[in-house]
Amino acid sequence: EKGMSTEELAYNLAIGEGELLGYLYSKGVRFHGLRTLDRDIVKMVCEKYNVEVLDVDPMKVEEMAKKKEIFDEDDLDKLKERPPVITIMGHVDHGKTTLLDYIRKSKVAASEAGGITQGIGAYKVQVPFDGKSLPCIFLDTPGHEAFGAMRARGARVTDIAVIVVAADDGIRPQTNEAIAHAKAAGVPIVIAINKIDKDGASPDRVMQELSSIGLMPEEWGGDIPMVKISALRGENIDDLLETIMLVAELQELKANPDRTAKGTVIEAGLDKSKGPVATFIVQNGTLRTGDIVVCGEAVGKVRALFDDRGIRVDEAGPSIPVQVIGLNNVPLAGDEFEVVSSLDIAREKAEARAEALREEHIAAKAGEGKITLSSLA
Ligand code: GDP
Ligand code: MG
Protein backbone atom coordinates (compact mmCIF):
# COMPACT_ATOMS: atom_id res chain seq x y z
CA GLU A 1 0.00 0.00 0.00
CA LYS A 2 1.83 3.06 -1.19
CA GLY A 3 0.69 6.57 -1.60
CA MET A 4 1.20 10.17 -0.64
CA SER A 5 -1.11 11.83 1.84
CA THR A 6 -2.93 14.97 0.77
CA GLU A 7 -1.15 16.68 3.66
CA GLU A 8 2.27 15.72 2.35
CA LEU A 9 1.42 16.70 -1.22
CA ALA A 10 -0.04 20.07 -0.17
CA TYR A 11 3.10 20.67 1.87
CA ASN A 12 5.34 19.79 -1.07
CA LEU A 13 3.39 22.08 -3.37
CA ALA A 14 3.31 24.84 -0.74
CA ILE A 15 -0.46 25.18 -1.01
CA GLY A 16 -3.14 24.78 1.64
CA GLU A 17 -4.53 21.30 2.08
CA GLY A 18 -8.04 22.81 1.71
CA GLU A 19 -7.15 24.15 -1.72
CA LEU A 20 -5.81 20.75 -2.73
CA LEU A 21 -8.89 18.96 -1.45
CA GLY A 22 -11.13 21.42 -3.34
CA TYR A 23 -9.25 20.73 -6.55
CA LEU A 24 -9.37 16.96 -6.03
CA TYR A 25 -13.10 17.15 -5.32
CA SER A 26 -13.65 19.08 -8.56
CA LYS A 27 -11.85 16.26 -10.35
CA GLY A 28 -14.15 13.68 -8.83
CA VAL A 29 -11.65 12.27 -6.32
CA ARG A 30 -13.43 10.96 -3.22
CA PHE A 31 -11.91 9.57 -0.03
CA HIS A 32 -13.04 6.88 2.30
CA GLY A 33 -10.94 7.20 5.43
CA LEU A 34 -7.25 7.90 4.83
CA ARG A 35 -6.60 10.64 2.31
CA THR A 36 -3.94 8.85 0.36
CA LEU A 37 -3.23 9.63 -3.28
CA ASP A 38 -1.81 7.23 -5.79
CA ARG A 39 0.91 8.06 -8.26
CA ASP A 40 -1.44 9.01 -11.13
CA ILE A 41 -3.38 11.48 -9.04
CA VAL A 42 -0.18 13.00 -7.64
CA LYS A 43 0.99 13.46 -11.24
CA MET A 44 -2.30 15.04 -12.28
CA VAL A 45 -2.13 17.54 -9.42
CA CYS A 46 1.53 18.32 -10.09
CA GLU A 47 0.71 19.05 -13.72
CA LYS A 48 -1.93 21.52 -12.66
CA TYR A 49 0.59 23.30 -10.43
CA ASN A 50 3.37 23.12 -13.02
CA VAL A 51 5.59 21.05 -10.81
CA GLU A 52 7.70 18.36 -12.35
CA VAL A 53 7.47 14.89 -10.85
CA LEU A 54 10.72 12.99 -10.61
CA ASP A 55 10.04 9.30 -10.82
CA VAL A 56 12.33 7.18 -8.76
CA ASP A 57 13.13 3.63 -9.67
CA PRO A 58 11.55 1.39 -7.01
CA MET A 59 14.65 -0.82 -7.17
CA LYS A 60 16.75 2.15 -6.19
CA VAL A 61 14.54 2.85 -3.21
CA GLU A 62 14.85 -0.80 -2.26
CA GLU A 63 18.61 -0.55 -2.54
CA MET A 64 18.67 2.55 -0.39
CA ALA A 65 16.56 0.78 2.19
CA LYS A 66 19.01 -2.13 2.19
CA LYS A 67 21.90 0.20 2.86
CA LYS A 68 20.12 1.20 6.04
CA GLU A 69 19.89 -2.46 6.91
CA ILE A 70 21.32 -2.95 10.32
CA PHE A 71 22.57 -6.54 10.09
CA ASP A 72 25.62 -7.90 8.30
CA GLU A 73 25.82 -11.43 6.97
CA ASP A 74 28.02 -12.35 9.93
CA ASP A 75 25.25 -11.50 12.38
CA LEU A 76 22.71 -13.89 10.98
CA ASP A 77 23.64 -16.97 12.98
CA LYS A 78 24.26 -15.00 16.19
CA LEU A 79 20.94 -13.26 16.53
CA LYS A 80 19.34 -13.15 19.97
CA GLU A 81 16.01 -11.77 21.11
CA ARG A 82 15.88 -8.08 21.86
CA PRO A 83 13.25 -5.91 23.61
CA PRO A 84 10.62 -4.11 21.51
CA VAL A 85 10.83 -0.34 21.00
CA ILE A 86 7.43 1.37 21.14
CA THR A 87 6.17 4.80 20.12
CA ILE A 88 2.88 6.23 21.38
CA MET A 89 1.01 8.48 18.99
CA GLY A 90 -2.44 9.98 18.69
CA HIS A 91 -4.48 13.16 18.54
CA VAL A 92 -3.71 15.93 21.02
CA ASP A 93 -5.50 15.51 24.36
CA HIS A 94 -6.41 11.89 23.70
CA GLY A 95 -4.17 10.84 26.60
CA LYS A 96 -0.64 10.00 25.34
CA THR A 97 1.17 11.72 28.19
CA THR A 98 -1.20 10.31 30.80
CA LEU A 99 -0.64 6.82 29.43
CA LEU A 100 3.15 7.17 29.32
CA ASP A 101 3.18 8.57 32.84
CA TYR A 102 1.04 5.76 34.15
CA ILE A 103 3.19 3.10 32.51
CA ARG A 104 6.35 4.72 33.77
CA LYS A 105 5.06 5.11 37.33
CA SER A 106 3.57 1.67 37.62
CA LYS A 107 6.21 -0.33 35.80
CA VAL A 108 9.44 1.23 36.93
CA ALA A 109 10.09 -0.32 40.34
CA ALA A 110 9.40 2.08 43.20
CA SER A 111 13.01 2.04 44.29
CA GLU A 112 14.06 3.04 40.82
CA ALA A 113 11.35 5.62 40.28
CA GLY A 114 13.19 8.13 42.46
CA GLY A 115 16.14 7.72 40.16
CA ILE A 116 14.39 9.28 37.19
CA THR A 117 16.19 12.57 37.34
CA GLN A 118 16.31 13.66 33.76
CA GLY A 119 14.45 12.42 30.73
CA ILE A 120 16.63 10.93 28.04
CA GLY A 121 13.79 10.63 25.54
CA ALA A 122 13.20 6.95 26.14
CA TYR A 123 12.71 4.62 29.04
CA LYS A 124 12.69 0.96 29.85
CA VAL A 125 9.89 -0.76 31.74
CA GLN A 126 9.58 -4.37 32.87
CA VAL A 127 6.42 -6.13 31.74
CA PRO A 128 5.21 -9.43 33.18
CA PHE A 129 4.70 -11.73 30.23
CA ASP A 130 4.61 -15.46 29.77
CA GLY A 131 5.74 -16.05 33.36
CA LYS A 132 8.75 -13.79 32.92
CA SER A 133 9.49 -10.12 33.43
CA LEU A 134 10.48 -8.74 30.04
CA PRO A 135 11.95 -5.33 29.22
CA CYS A 136 10.13 -3.04 26.85
CA ILE A 137 11.37 0.36 25.60
CA PHE A 138 9.07 3.37 25.21
CA LEU A 139 10.17 6.39 23.22
CA ASP A 140 9.24 9.51 25.09
CA THR A 141 9.70 12.02 22.29
CA PRO A 142 6.37 13.22 20.88
CA GLY A 143 5.48 10.40 18.56
CA HIS A 144 4.64 12.32 15.41
CA GLU A 145 7.79 14.39 15.49
CA ALA A 146 9.98 11.40 16.20
CA PHE A 147 8.36 9.45 13.41
CA GLY A 148 8.29 12.34 10.96
CA ALA A 149 11.84 13.54 11.48
CA MET A 150 13.34 10.08 11.55
CA ARG A 151 11.32 8.77 8.66
CA ALA A 152 12.46 11.73 6.58
CA ARG A 153 16.03 10.64 7.32
CA GLY A 154 15.40 6.98 6.58
CA ALA A 155 15.75 5.83 10.18
CA ARG A 156 13.44 3.25 11.64
CA VAL A 157 13.79 2.63 15.34
CA THR A 158 10.22 1.82 16.32
CA ASP A 159 8.93 -1.74 16.31
CA ILE A 160 5.34 -1.05 17.35
CA ALA A 161 3.11 2.02 17.15
CA VAL A 162 0.53 2.41 19.90
CA ILE A 163 -2.14 4.80 18.68
CA VAL A 164 -4.29 6.37 21.38
CA VAL A 165 -7.87 7.26 20.44
CA ALA A 166 -10.18 8.88 23.01
CA ALA A 167 -13.43 6.96 23.28
CA ASP A 168 -15.42 10.18 23.67
CA ASP A 169 -13.88 11.86 20.63
CA GLY A 170 -13.04 9.24 18.02
CA ILE A 171 -10.75 9.55 15.00
CA ARG A 172 -9.31 13.04 14.57
CA PRO A 173 -6.77 14.49 12.10
CA GLN A 174 -3.69 13.50 14.10
CA THR A 175 -5.11 10.00 14.54
CA ASN A 176 -5.16 9.66 10.77
CA GLU A 177 -1.67 11.13 10.58
CA ALA A 178 -0.38 8.66 13.14
CA ILE A 179 -1.92 5.75 11.26
CA ALA A 180 -0.37 7.01 8.03
CA HIS A 181 3.07 7.30 9.69
CA ALA A 182 2.89 3.79 11.08
CA LYS A 183 1.70 2.33 7.78
CA ALA A 184 4.35 4.15 5.79
CA ALA A 185 7.04 2.81 8.10
CA GLY A 186 5.58 -0.69 7.98
CA VAL A 187 5.23 -0.75 11.76
CA PRO A 188 2.45 -2.84 13.34
CA ILE A 189 -0.31 -0.88 15.05
CA VAL A 190 -1.92 -1.44 18.44
CA ILE A 191 -4.92 0.77 19.20
CA ALA A 192 -5.48 2.01 22.75
CA ILE A 193 -9.08 3.18 23.05
CA ASN A 194 -8.70 5.57 25.97
CA LYS A 195 -10.96 7.42 28.43
CA ILE A 196 -13.45 4.56 28.70
CA ASP A 197 -14.25 5.87 32.19
CA LYS A 198 -15.79 9.05 30.78
CA ASP A 199 -19.47 9.80 30.31
CA GLY A 200 -20.19 9.69 26.62
CA ALA A 201 -17.36 7.25 25.96
CA SER A 202 -18.23 4.89 23.14
CA PRO A 203 -15.47 2.39 22.40
CA ASP A 204 -17.75 0.64 19.90
CA ARG A 205 -18.15 3.79 17.87
CA VAL A 206 -14.36 4.20 17.77
CA MET A 207 -13.98 0.61 16.58
CA GLN A 208 -16.62 1.26 13.94
CA GLU A 209 -14.75 4.33 12.74
CA LEU A 210 -11.45 2.50 12.66
CA SER A 211 -12.87 -0.42 10.72
CA SER A 212 -14.34 1.99 8.20
CA ILE A 213 -10.79 3.13 7.40
CA GLY A 214 -9.47 -0.38 7.09
CA LEU A 215 -8.34 -1.09 10.65
CA MET A 216 -10.51 -4.04 11.61
CA PRO A 217 -10.45 -4.92 15.33
CA GLU A 218 -9.29 -8.41 16.24
CA GLU A 219 -12.43 -8.63 18.35
CA TRP A 220 -14.44 -8.42 15.14
CA GLY A 221 -12.31 -10.89 13.24
CA GLY A 222 -9.76 -8.41 11.93
CA ASP A 223 -6.04 -8.19 12.59
CA ILE A 224 -5.67 -4.98 14.60
CA PRO A 225 -5.44 -5.43 18.38
CA MET A 226 -7.49 -2.83 20.22
CA VAL A 227 -7.49 -2.47 24.00
CA LYS A 228 -10.03 -0.36 25.89
CA ILE A 229 -8.26 1.55 28.65
CA SER A 230 -8.46 4.38 31.09
CA ALA A 231 -4.99 5.88 31.28
CA LEU A 232 -6.18 8.16 34.06
CA ARG A 233 -7.37 5.33 36.31
CA GLY A 234 -4.84 2.79 35.12
CA GLU A 235 -7.59 0.48 33.90
CA ASN A 236 -6.57 -2.35 31.53
CA ILE A 237 -3.04 -1.02 31.11
CA ASP A 238 -1.73 -4.48 31.91
CA ASP A 239 -3.86 -5.82 29.03
CA LEU A 240 -2.40 -3.19 26.76
CA LEU A 241 1.17 -4.08 27.77
CA GLU A 242 0.48 -7.76 27.29
CA THR A 243 -0.96 -7.07 23.84
CA ILE A 244 2.17 -5.10 22.97
CA MET A 245 4.34 -8.01 24.08
CA LEU A 246 2.28 -10.44 21.98
CA VAL A 247 2.71 -8.29 18.90
CA ALA A 248 6.43 -8.02 19.70
CA GLU A 249 6.70 -11.79 20.05
CA LEU A 250 5.20 -12.29 16.59
CA GLN A 251 7.78 -9.96 15.11
CA GLU A 252 10.67 -12.07 16.42
CA LEU A 253 12.78 -9.02 17.14
CA LYS A 254 16.43 -9.93 17.14
CA ALA A 255 19.93 -8.53 17.06
CA ASN A 256 23.48 -9.71 17.59
CA PRO A 257 24.72 -8.41 20.97
CA ASP A 258 28.23 -9.80 20.38
CA ARG A 259 29.59 -7.24 17.99
CA THR A 260 30.42 -3.55 17.84
CA ALA A 261 27.38 -1.32 18.19
CA LYS A 262 25.29 0.38 15.56
CA GLY A 263 22.11 2.35 15.99
CA THR A 264 20.30 5.66 15.77
CA VAL A 265 20.33 8.97 17.62
CA ILE A 266 16.90 9.76 19.04
CA GLU A 267 17.74 12.99 20.82
CA ALA A 268 20.77 15.26 21.21
CA GLY A 269 21.73 18.54 22.74
CA LEU A 270 24.41 20.59 24.38
CA ASP A 271 24.79 20.34 28.14
CA LYS A 272 26.53 23.19 29.96
CA SER A 273 28.81 20.92 31.92
CA LYS A 274 28.86 17.67 29.95
CA GLY A 275 29.18 19.17 26.44
CA PRO A 276 27.41 17.40 23.55
CA VAL A 277 25.07 14.70 24.86
CA ALA A 278 23.13 12.31 22.66
CA THR A 279 20.65 9.55 23.36
CA PHE A 280 21.33 6.50 21.23
CA ILE A 281 19.12 3.50 20.66
CA VAL A 282 21.44 0.59 20.09
CA GLN A 283 20.03 -1.50 17.25
CA ASN A 284 22.75 -4.08 16.88
CA GLY A 285 25.77 -5.01 18.95
CA THR A 286 26.73 -3.68 22.38
CA LEU A 287 27.98 -0.16 23.05
CA ARG A 288 30.63 0.26 25.74
CA THR A 289 32.50 3.01 27.52
CA GLY A 290 35.73 3.66 25.65
CA ASP A 291 34.25 2.77 22.24
CA ILE A 292 35.05 5.11 19.38
CA VAL A 293 31.94 6.24 17.53
CA VAL A 294 31.03 8.13 14.43
CA CYS A 295 27.59 9.59 14.55
CA GLY A 296 26.34 11.72 11.67
CA GLU A 297 29.12 14.26 11.34
CA ALA A 298 30.21 13.94 14.96
CA VAL A 299 32.95 11.67 16.30
CA GLY A 300 34.28 10.83 19.73
CA LYS A 301 35.33 8.32 22.31
CA VAL A 302 32.52 7.32 24.68
CA ARG A 303 33.51 8.89 28.02
CA ALA A 304 30.41 7.87 29.92
CA LEU A 305 27.08 6.15 29.38
CA PHE A 306 23.91 6.83 31.39
CA ASP A 307 20.78 4.73 31.35
CA ASP A 308 17.17 5.99 31.29
CA ARG A 309 17.33 6.62 35.04
CA GLY A 310 20.45 8.74 34.78
CA ILE A 311 22.56 5.99 36.29
CA ARG A 312 26.04 5.39 34.94
CA VAL A 313 26.39 2.10 33.07
CA ASP A 314 29.31 0.38 31.33
CA GLU A 315 27.42 -0.95 28.36
CA ALA A 316 24.13 -0.98 26.44
CA GLY A 317 22.91 -3.85 24.28
CA PRO A 318 20.28 -4.08 21.50
CA SER A 319 17.15 -1.86 21.85
CA ILE A 320 18.55 -0.17 24.95
CA PRO A 321 18.44 3.63 25.04
CA VAL A 322 21.53 5.22 26.50
CA GLN A 323 22.86 8.72 26.92
CA VAL A 324 26.33 9.17 25.51
CA ILE A 325 28.97 11.70 26.57
CA GLY A 326 32.17 12.21 24.62
CA LEU A 327 31.13 13.38 21.16
CA ASN A 328 32.89 16.41 19.67
CA ASN A 329 29.64 17.77 18.22
CA VAL A 330 25.87 17.58 18.62
CA PRO A 331 24.43 15.08 16.14
CA LEU A 332 20.85 15.18 14.79
CA ALA A 333 17.91 13.01 15.76
CA GLY A 334 17.77 10.27 13.16
CA ASP A 335 21.55 10.20 12.57
CA GLU A 336 23.01 6.73 12.55
CA PHE A 337 25.94 5.90 14.76
CA GLU A 338 28.46 3.09 14.58
CA VAL A 339 31.50 2.00 16.52
CA VAL A 340 34.78 1.99 14.58
CA SER A 341 38.31 0.92 15.45
CA SER A 342 40.07 4.29 15.54
CA LEU A 343 39.44 8.02 15.70
CA ASP A 344 41.10 8.40 12.29
CA ILE A 345 38.56 6.07 10.72
CA ALA A 346 35.77 7.85 12.60
CA ARG A 347 36.93 11.20 11.22
CA GLU A 348 37.19 9.82 7.69
CA LYS A 349 33.65 8.46 7.87
CA ALA A 350 32.30 11.68 9.34
CA GLU A 351 34.00 13.64 6.57
CA ALA A 352 32.54 11.33 3.91
CA ARG A 353 29.09 11.80 5.43
CA ALA A 354 29.46 15.57 5.53
CA GLU A 355 30.47 15.46 1.86
CA ALA A 356 27.48 13.26 0.95
CA LEU A 357 25.19 15.65 2.79
CA ARG A 358 26.61 18.64 0.94
CA GLU A 359 25.97 16.86 -2.35
CA GLU A 360 22.45 15.96 -1.31
CA HIS A 361 21.86 19.56 -0.39
CA ILE A 362 23.09 20.80 -3.76
CA ALA A 363 20.95 18.20 -5.53
CA ALA A 364 17.96 19.27 -3.47
CA LYS A 365 18.56 22.90 -4.43
CA ALA A 366 18.80 21.97 -8.10
CA GLY A 367 15.59 20.01 -7.75
CA GLU A 368 13.56 22.81 -6.24
CA GLY A 369 10.11 22.92 -7.74
CA LYS A 370 10.24 19.18 -8.20
CA ILE A 371 8.83 16.39 -6.14
CA THR A 372 10.58 13.11 -5.73
CA LEU A 373 8.20 10.19 -5.80
CA SER A 374 10.48 8.24 -3.52
CA SER A 375 8.50 9.88 -0.77
CA LEU A 376 5.72 7.60 -1.98
CA ALA A 377 7.62 4.62 -0.69
P1 GDP B 1 -2.03 14.10 25.16
O1 GDP B 1 -2.17 15.47 24.55
O2 GDP B 1 -2.44 13.04 24.17
O3 GDP B 1 -0.69 13.84 25.75
O4 GDP B 1 -3.14 14.01 26.32
P2 GDP B 1 -2.94 14.11 27.90
O5 GDP B 1 -2.34 12.88 28.43
O6 GDP B 1 -2.27 15.40 28.21
O7 GDP B 1 -4.47 14.13 28.36
C1 GDP B 1 -5.36 15.17 27.99
C2 GDP B 1 -6.45 15.29 29.06
O8 GDP B 1 -7.22 14.10 29.08
C3 GDP B 1 -5.89 15.47 30.46
O9 GDP B 1 -6.72 16.37 31.15
C4 GDP B 1 -5.98 14.08 31.05
O10 GDP B 1 -6.14 14.10 32.45
C5 GDP B 1 -7.23 13.54 30.38
N1 GDP B 1 -7.21 12.09 30.28
C6 GDP B 1 -6.22 11.30 29.79
N2 GDP B 1 -6.55 10.01 29.89
C7 GDP B 1 -7.77 9.95 30.45
C8 GDP B 1 -8.66 8.89 30.82
O11 GDP B 1 -8.39 7.70 30.66
N3 GDP B 1 -9.84 9.25 31.38
C9 GDP B 1 -10.19 10.55 31.59
N4 GDP B 1 -11.37 10.79 32.14
N5 GDP B 1 -9.38 11.57 31.27
C10 GDP B 1 -8.20 11.28 30.71
MG1 MG C 1 1.03 15.07 25.75
Side-chain angles (χ1 to χ4, degrees):
E1 249 188 71
K2 288 179 179 171
M4 185 182 270
S5 71
T6 50
E7 187 193 5
E8 200 173 350
L9 180 57
Y11 176 80
N12 276 307
L13 292 170
I15 60 172
E17 198 180 354
E19 178 182 339
L20 174 60
L21 291 174
Y23 173 68
L24 289 169
Y25 192 86
S26 76
K27 289 287 170 187
V29 179
R30 301 287 182 272
F31 299 101
H32 309 280
L34 288 184
R35 291 200 294 263
T36 307
L37 304 171
D38 67 22
R39 192 172 279 254
D40 290 342
I41 292 178
V42 170
K43 281 193 171 164
M44 172 187 84
V45 175
C46 288
E47 248 159 54
K48 142 112 179 146
Y49 286 93
N50 282 325
V51 168
E52 190 185 336
V53 177
L54 302 177
D55 250 308
V56 168
D57 182 357
M59 287 300 285
K60 234 186 189 163
V61 175
E62 189 86 346
E63 227 170 81
M64 276 158 54
K66 277 221 184 88
K67 269 195 204 145
K68 306 267 183 193
E69 192 51 77
I70 219 88
F71 298 138
D72 299 338
E73 298 247 316
D74 294 352
D75 293 327
L76 295 179
D77 55 351
K78 296 175 198 140
L79 297 179
K80 297 205 176 94
E81 261 176 62
R82 64 170 179 83
V85 179
I86 292 122
T87 303
I88 297 184
M89 293 190 282
H91 197 71
V92 64
D93 280 347
H94 280 199
K96 298 177 294 293
T97 303
T98 310
L99 176 60
L100 273 162
D101 284 352
Y102 184 84
I103 293 173
R104 172 153 44 187
K105 265 193 232 115
S106 65
K107 296 297 165 193
V108 177
S111 61
E112 295 176 354
I116 304 171
T117 45
Q118 86 245 70
I120 70 163
Y123 57 90
K124 189 173 101 186
V125 302
Q126 291 293 133
V127 178
F129 184 73
D130 208 11
K132 287 171 277 192
S133 168
L134 298 177
C136 191
I137 314 303
F138 282 86
L139 292 193
D140 204 5
T141 37
H144 298 265
E145 285 151 50
F147 249 86
M150 294 205 194
R151 187 148 72 78
R153 324 197 65 226
R156 181 191 189 270
V157 291
T158 305
D159 300 309
I160 297 170
V162 172
I163 297 174
V164 179
V165 190
D168 62 339
D169 202 20
I171 297 183
R172 300 294 307 275
Q174 285 163 285
T175 320
N176 280 316
E177 214 178 87
I179 294 167
H181 275 315
K183 283 195 167 173
V187 170
I189 292 171
V190 172
I191 303 283
I193 301 176
N194 190 30
K195 306 198 187 185
I196 55 165
D197 60 286
K198 271 185 97 169
D199 287 339
S202 175
D204 270 3
R205 206 194 60 224
V206 173
M207 283 158 70
Q208 200 80 58
E209 284 178 9
L210 288 164
S211 48
S212 78
I213 59 164
L215 299 182
M216 184 61 74
E218 271 181 353
E219 213 180 306
W220 296 353
D223 57 0
I224 307 292
M226 300 192 185
V227 186
K228 296 159 199 167
I229 64 164
S230 167
L232 195 65
R233 297 191 182 171
E235 238 172 280
N236 294 343
I237 306 298
D238 284 347
D239 279 358
L240 177 64
L241 292 172
E242 190 180 337
T243 302
I244 290 169
M245 294 313 277
L246 274 168
V247 172
E249 196 177 40
L250 286 176
Q251 286 196 83
E252 300 189 37
L253 304 168
K254 288 186 172 150
N256 172 13
D258 301 315
R259 52 157 288 160
T260 51
K262 264 185 176 185
T264 301
V265 177
I266 58 165
E267 214 177 66
L270 197 59
D271 184 279
K272 266 192 217 124
S273 53
K274 295 177 184 164
V277 291
T279 301
F280 289 180
I281 290 254
V282 177
Q283 290 174 285
N284 201 15
T286 297
L287 182 67
R288 296 192 169 85
T289 316
D291 279 347
I292 290 159
V293 292
V294 52
C295 170
E297 295 179 52
V299 300
K301 185 170 185 155
V302 177
R303 274 209 321 267
L305 294 172
F306 297 92
D307 71 7
D308 56 331
R309 291 164 289 141
I311 293 170
R312 225 178 143 138
V313 291
D314 291 329
E315 54 175 52
S319 297
I320 301 301
V322 73
Q323 194 181 58
V324 176
I325 316 283
L327 295 172
N328 67 345
N329 257 314
V330 180
L332 298 171
D335 273 343
E336 287 166 45
F337 79 85
E338 68 177 308
V339 170
V340 293
S341 53
S342 75
L343 268 174
D344 281 344
I345 293 174
R347 285 191 204 101
E348 252 168 50
K349 289 207 174 201
E351 190 49 49
R353 280 187 196 183
E355 183 60 34
L357 275 182
R358 270 193 294 277
E359 271 167 24
E360 245 173 59
H361 188 71
I362 291 164
K365 281 269 167 220
E368 259 165 16
K370 294 173 186 175
I371 288 183
T372 300
L373 277 177
S374 67
S375 41
L376 280 173

